[in-house]
Every structure is written in C-alpha cells, then in structure tokens.
Amino acid sequence: MKKSVLFVVMCLAISTKGLAQWNFGVKAGVNYSTQHSPVSSVFDGSHRWGPQVGVMTSYTLSSSFELQGELLYARRGFKTDVYVDMNDSKAHDWNFSFHYLNLPVLAKYHPFGKIAYIEAGPQLGYLIDSSNKVKGVDLGDEAGLKPEYNKIDFGFVGGIGADLGDHFNVDVRYYHGLTHTQKDYDKGENRSLELSVGYWF
C-alpha cells in the first residue's frame, strides 16, 4: 500500500513538473495598421487604429528561450480620401476594415534574465469579414464596390516585450505582411504596429 501511494505521488510530481513548462493566458491591445500597395497609390492609405484580443500559450525550452503561440482576433484597416460626387468641395474618409483571426508562432529570447525579451516568428491570418465605408455607408453593400479579398494572410512579426512579475507582460510588435490582400490589381499588403498587455494564469 505504501509503495502504491509513493508511486502515485511520484507520478503526480513528474506530471506537475512537466506542466510547469507550459503557460496559458489571455491578452488584449490595439494595433495601428495600414495596407501598402506596390501597384496602386489609391489603396496605399493612412493608418487606422483597431482592437485585438485573444489567448496565448508558451512552452519554456530553457532559462533563455521560449516558444509562444497565440490565437487573436484583430481588426485592421486603412483609410484614404474619396470624393462622393462632383459637387463635393472636400474629400471624405474612405474607411476600410478587415477582421482577422491571427495565429502567430514566436520564438522568444531573454538576453538579460527573465524580465525583457525579444520575439520573432511567422503569422498566419484568416479573413473573417471586411467592409469599406464612406460617411457611414458601406460601399460594398450600396454600390457593389467591395473588392474580392484573399482569405489567407501570411507574414512575419517581430518585437520586444517585458514580463511584469509572475502574471503580467507587455509587448510591442511590428507585422509585415507578405501576401496580397486583394485578388484584383491593387494587391495591398498588411502592415501593423501592435501594443498588447497579457495576463498569465
């Protein structure tokens, strides 16, 4: 009986030690995004602010290295100027919004101990929905001016961050999209500067 109890305790200890290498948490923040088009200045627009929120997990490889994966909702977009009709004396904001589910997989390196870190890796995104509005009216619905977008977005993300105690962390990242967001001639590519705060359970 004592041997059985000892065996169970040892198994639990080994299991707990293994689980201690995994961390799970949530995060939220904002992104400052735009699209860059190598072939059209019309869709090479100004930046827009958008929210992002999701879950994250990390696996500790050593005292200096971690692997981190996340699943995030992010609203990206950009704006450009447009004249609605010939009588307009000034241009209106043409606001584009893109709703993505993003899956970044990052390698994290702690060069100065546990507090500060550098992170980089690929990111895969899936476009859930999109809109383009002028004066609150969605031109895709009203005028049939909704471009055909690619569902898949791929690029690389890199940044810096800091662990604030045992539970909180903050990071700043830059995302550089490599795939074209549109299927037609404009061929925009996503660009985004991101600031997030996370909480580890």
Side-chain angles (χ1 to χ4, degrees):
M1 182 66 180
K2 290 182 178 180
K3 290 182 179 180
S4 298
V5 173
L6 180 60
F7 177 75
V8 172
V9 172
M10 290 178 62
C11 288
L12 288 174
I14 294 172
S15 176
T16 302
K17 183 178 180 180
L19 288 174
Q21 298 182 81
W22 285 97
N23 292 300
F24 301 91
V26 294
K27 66 183 308 181
V30 295
N31 65 74
Y32 188 56
S33 62
T34 189
Q35 282 193 9
H36 168 69
S37 175
V39 297
S40 174
S41 60
V42 175
F43 290 92
D44 202 0
S46 301
H47 292 74
R48 290 191 66 193
W49 291 97
Q52 58 184 35
V53 61
V55 295
M56 57 184 179
T57 182
S58 71
Y59 183 78
T60 302
L61 299 173
S62 68
S63 59
S64 300
F65 288 95
E66 295 178 65
L67 288 178
Q68 181 165 316
E70 301 171 357
L71 181 62
L72 305 171
Y73 160 77
R75 190 193 71 198
R76 295 192 184 132
F78 68 95
K79 62 182 179 180
T80 188
D81 293 334
V82 64
Y83 289 91
V84 177
D85 56 53
M86 298 298 295
N87 297 322
D88 279 343
S89 59
K90 65 176 183 178
H92 299 277
D93 286 340
W94 190 358
N95 295 305
F96 290 76
S97 296
F98 306 93
H99 304 270
Y100 280 97
L101 276 181
N102 293 324
L103 180 65
V105 179
L106 308 172
K108 297 174 65 175
Y109 172 58
H110 298 260
F112 310 112
K114 188 62 180 173
I115 298 179
Y117 56 83
I118 303 168
E119 57 185 2
Q123 177 172 293
L124 183 67
Y126 180 79
L127 181 65
I128 304 171
D129 195 15
S130 63
S131 65
N132 60 99
K133 297 182 179 182
V134 176
K135 301 172 65 175
V137 177
D138 193 326
L139 297 186
D141 296 332
E142 297 294 328
L145 296 178
K146 189 170 186 176
E148 189 175 1
Y149 296 108
N150 290 310
K151 288 291 187 179
I152 302 300
D153 180 56
F154 179 78
F156 283 90
V157 61
I160 57 174
D163 293 318
L164 309 176
D166 294 331
H167 295 285
F168 288 96
N169 78 312
V170 60
D171 59 54
V172 179
R173 298 174 182 171
Y174 171 73
Y175 173 75
H176 189 97
L178 299 177
T179 55
H180 296 150
T181 59
Q182 298 183 40
K183 294 182 179 180
D184 55 20
Y185 63 91
D186 298 304
K187 302 184 183 302
E189 299 168 351
N190 282 312
R191 305 285 190 267
S192 181
L193 185 64
E194 304 166 0
L195 172 64
S196 296
V197 176
Y199 180 83
W200 296 107
F201 297 118

